[in-house]
Amino acid sequence: MRTIIEPFRIKMTEPLKMISREERCAALAGAHHNVFLLDAEDCCIDLLTDSGTGAMSTRQWAALMLGDESYAGSRSWKKFEEAVRTITGMRHILPAHQGRAAESILAECLVKPGDIIPSNSHFDTTRANIEYAGGGAVDVLCARGLDTALDAPFKGDMDVEGLERCIATHGRDRIPFCMLTVTNNAGGGQPVSMRNVREVKRVLARHGIPLVIDACRFAENAFFIRECEEGYKDRTLLSIAQEMFSHADAATMSCKKDGLANIGGFLVCNDDAWAEQFRTLLILREGFPTYGGLAGRDLEVIAVGLFEALDHDYQVYRHATVEYLGSRLVARGIPIVRPVGGHAVFLNAAQFLPHIPALSYPGVGLVNALYIEGGVRAVELGSVMFGRIDAAGVETPAPLELVRLAFPRRVYTQSHFDYLIEVIEEVWRERSAIGPYRITYQPKLLRHFCCHFEPPAP
Ligand SMILES: *Cc1c(COP(=O)(O)O)cnc(C)c1O
């Protein structure tokens, strides 16, 4: 059969509230024109993030009831530890309530003021945690990754020569570790090849610099490696993931992504001295090292979810949903990042709205238009999220102005995507009417979550 179907059927439903355009206009104004500040109920198709928004399986719901809520050494912890060790092969497994908690422990223990942390692309919370510790988060993405129109595999790869230059410029002593984000969320959800993981590790090993993998979408990445990299087509996703982690010295994970859970994360490493430092801070911030800010039932759910994410049929379906939307937008001439990523379709807001300069935030204009048109909630990944403001208050735009439509796992059906395509097409037709935005309030760090915008005058 050519038709790829959802490899599950639906046992429980959750109603979507349908509201009118007038109600959406009022809701957006009430949210200071920042969709992060909307009530979720007022969003018909919520593609803000794929993080923690997935649907659990019957096996996960059943596992949840087995949760052992003992404070220390619970049965649920044992299952979690075994699952994470099977996949990552790491000696030390530390649970955390979500990815950023793992990142904050990593950064606080290892990053000193003036340090430099290279990555293919840092995600926003990773960057913020490094900067908060006084370090510099440097993106060393391959040139292909910046060309949004280039339809090539593994555009999430790190620029290996760029990494060599980075080490030569800053010196090994100022680089406590290097990161690789798989898949590369900030860079269009593009995968990283095994070959690149190996080459990055080879360069780092020569300088004695550890490699930390930001593993949030490790299973989606493993699927891309199986599909697109020579020598992997007969391998299981688990064995591909294991091979990838075998090159790393540590990893951070948000189980809200490829853990198929609504909450959770972990920090893993091989080095005993690192583990001791991490554990101390973990107890201070997250909780005892056998629960790390999670309930026993959460640990159960993650232990099941990590393996469901590595199920081949699930990944075939997952990728087919992203491809379905992507190919239909391409057919209509709507500018998206090619090829589509593992968890999202990224609209190119700079090309969608060429009449809006970067510092008038075309991504925000597009996000807000999608909400008004169809109650679709997307997110800007452009100058609001990644722009830099220097000490003198001068703002530098981000390299790309993207809008991400992230797909919650196992949540929306094909008719939801057909509706979405219609909404995007309508916004595309009326795009010249979209105007510039201005920021009227912003906090210093992670401004995109809470800032207020002023829309163009009507
Ligand atoms: C989501 C995400 C994080 C942070 O994880 P949270 O669970 O949201 O704290 C870090 N890195 C990447 C690549 C992510 O996608």
Side-chain angles (χ1 to χ4, degrees):
M1 289 299 144
R2 270 174 295 112
T3 305
I4 297 168
I5 60 169
E6 288 85 354
F8 53 81
R9 53 186 178 175
I10 296 167
K11 193 169 212 152
M12 198 190 290
T13 65
E14 187 181 5
L16 290 177
K17 193 172 113 186
M18 306 287 194
I19 64 174
S20 67
R21 175 182 284 262
E22 289 66 39
E23 288 171 305
R24 289 196 290 269
C25 287
L28 192 58
H32 303 281
H33 304 276
N34 181 349
V35 292
F36 274 106
L37 303 177
L38 284 169
D39 286 346
E41 229 192 7
D42 292 335
C43 304
C44 174
I45 307 276
D46 198 348
L47 306 180
L48 185 68
T49 175
D50 63 322
S51 179
T53 51
M56 294 208 296
S57 67
T58 47
R59 284 190 56 230
Q60 285 179 295
W61 281 108
L64 185 136
M65 294 306 291
L66 299 174
D68 174 357
E69 305 303 342
S70 304
Y71 191 90
S74 74
R75 257 189 337 266
S76 304
W77 154 250
K78 297 278 176 198
K79 289 186 205 165
F80 176 93
E81 187 187 29
E82 195 192 328
V84 176
R85 183 161 294 126
T86 300
I87 294 166
T88 66
M90 297 274 175
R91 264 167 79 78
H92 302 285
I93 316 282
L94 302 164
H97 82 276
Q98 60 182 94
R100 72 197 64 188
E103 292 164 359
S104 105
I105 290 167
L106 178 79
E108 191 168 338
C109 290
L110 303 181
V111 179
K112 294 184 305 299
D115 280 352
I116 295 293
I117 314 295
S119 173
N120 48 348
S121 300
H122 289 277
F123 191 60
D124 58 349
T125 57
T126 320
R127 171 180 296 281
N129 270 305
I130 289 165
E131 290 176 353
Y132 195 73
V138 180
D139 292 342
V140 192
L141 184 62
C142 67
R144 285 170 293 135
L146 287 172
D147 182 350
T148 61
L150 177 71
D151 201 342
F154 301 115
K155 286 167 66 181
D157 280 357
M158 186 176 240
D159 172 3
V160 179
E161 280 167 28
L163 175 64
E164 297 261 25
R165 278 197 302 278
C166 178
I167 298 170
T169 307
H170 299 286
R172 185 263 163 266
D173 293 342
R174 283 180 61 200
I175 306 179
F177 59 89
C178 168
M179 291 193 84
L180 261 184
T181 312
V182 304
T183 57
N184 187 12
N185 189 359
Q190 301 293 323
V192 177
S193 64
M194 191 72 83
R195 179 187 167 156
N196 191 243
V197 176
R198 264 196 309 269
E199 284 180 358
V200 165
K201 178 62 188 180
R202 189 173 44 76
V203 169
L204 294 175
R206 219 171 50 236
H207 297 276
I209 299 170
L211 173 62
V212 180
I213 291 186
D214 178 340
C216 294
R217 297 180 183 78
F218 74 98
E220 287 171 9
N221 202 79
F223 179 73
F224 277 109
I225 288 174
R226 190 178 190 274
E227 293 298 295
C228 308
E229 194 165 348
E230 217 183 299
Y232 288 93
K233 74 175 191 318
D234 297 323
R235 294 270 299 272
T236 62
L237 299 184
L238 173 61
S239 80
I240 295 171
Q242 287 167 330
E243 180 180 335
M244 183 192 74
F245 283 113
S246 76
H247 297 296
D249 299 280
T252 58
M253 171 73 188
S254 170
C255 297
K256 302 172 73 172
K257 282 64 172 257
D258 278 350
L260 288 172
N262 300 120
I263 197 70
F266 57 74
L267 174 59
V268 294
C269 68
N270 281 325
D271 186 80
D272 296 342
W274 274 17
E276 190 175 315
Q277 274 181 285
F278 295 163
R279 202 172 291 120
T280 305
L281 209 53
L282 184 83
I283 295 171
L284 193 66
R285 296 277 164 71
E286 296 286 290
F288 194 71
T290 67
Y291 73 87
L294 295 167
R297 54 181 170 271
D298 300 326
L299 296 167
E300 293 274 350
V301 157
I302 294 164
V304 175
L306 288 167
F307 288 102
E308 288 186 352
L310 288 167
D311 177 67
H312 187 252
D313 289 340
Y314 160 73
Q315 286 295 345
V316 167
Y317 140 78
R318 173 85 176 145
H319 190 70
T321 59
V322 184
E323 193 65 49
Y324 182 83
L325 176 63
S327 60
R328 276 149 187 83
L329 296 181
V330 168
R332 287 160 175 79
I334 296 170
I336 66 166
V337 175
R338 310 273 304 268
V340 291
H343 67 294
V345 169
F346 291 68
L347 301 171
N348 187 329
Q351 289 169 5
F352 203 111
L353 303 171
H355 57 288
I356 302 181
L359 293 179
S360 296
Y361 312 122
V364 174
L366 180 50
V367 164
N368 288 354
L370 291 169
Y371 178 72
I372 296 296
E373 187 60 38
V376 171
R377 177 153 69 169
V379 66
E380 189 248 28
L381 273 81
S383 291
V384 178
M385 193 181 278
F386 296 115
R388 324 281 305 144
I389 302 175
D390 68 14
V394 177
E395 192 170 348
T396 311
L400 299 173
E401 300 298 331
L402 304 179
V403 164
R404 187 185 71 189
L405 304 159
F407 293 15
R409 294 172 177 77
R410 308 187 289 207
V411 170
Y412 294 114
T413 65
Q414 189 166 330
S415 68
H416 290 118
F417 288 113
D418 289 335
Y419 170 85
L420 175 64
I421 291 161
E422 202 181 324
V423 170
I424 298 170
E425 205 175 0
E426 191 55 34
V427 170
W428 173 246
R429 206 173 295 125
E430 302 291 327
R431 63 193 180 278
S432 63
I434 299 171
Y437 276 77
R438 216 168 60 80
I439 294 178
T440 56
Y441 158 78
Q442 56 181 317
K444 266 210 169 67
L445 210 59
L446 295 172
R447 63 174 175 173
H448 53 286
F449 287 125
C450 307
C451 65
H452 297 174
F453 297 104
E454 187 180 81

